[in-house]
Amino acid sequence: GRVSLSWDAVNNADGYQIWMSDSANGTYTIAKSIEDGNTTSYAKSGLNSGSTAYFKVRAYVQDGDKKTFGAYSETVSAAVK
């Protein structure tokens, strides 16, 4: 199964973290860290077809080795196809 996500770009972002869970109030883990502020989509594969996955995204800016994170997006659910 696969889910495709897209989001609006955040001004001056250096990258994004995509967090995923199998329930809305469950434990979220990082599904992907994108190190390009111009990338605003991600496809997650290897999921169970017919299930529901929950995602949230947050942007970051990087100064040397330090990343400063923005707030999480609203959580969205996606039916896995």
Side-chain angles (χ1 to χ4, degrees):
R2 178 183 167 111
V3 169
S4 295
L5 305 171
S6 64
W7 56 91
D8 294 332
V10 174
N11 289 339
N12 301 316
D14 290 319
Y16 300 93
Q17 283 184 335
I18 296 93
W19 291 72
M20 185 181 115
S21 178
D22 58 5
S23 66
N25 296 317
T27 301
Y28 284 78
T29 58
I30 296 175
K32 180 74 174 177
S33 184
I34 297 174
E35 297 177 354
D36 178 359
N38 295 316
T39 299
T40 57
S41 63
Y42 170 67
K44 174 69 176 168
S45 58
L47 302 171
N48 293 328
S49 293
S51 65
T52 301
Y54 297 83
F55 295 90
K56 55 189 176 181
V57 178
R58 67 178 178 171
Y60 68 84
V61 294
Q62 188 157 356
D63 183 11
D65 290 337
K66 182 183 177 190
K67 291 180 181 175
T68 303
F69 294 94
Y72 287 102
S73 68
E74 291 184 22
T75 300
V76 295
S77 63
V80 179
K81 297 186 180 191

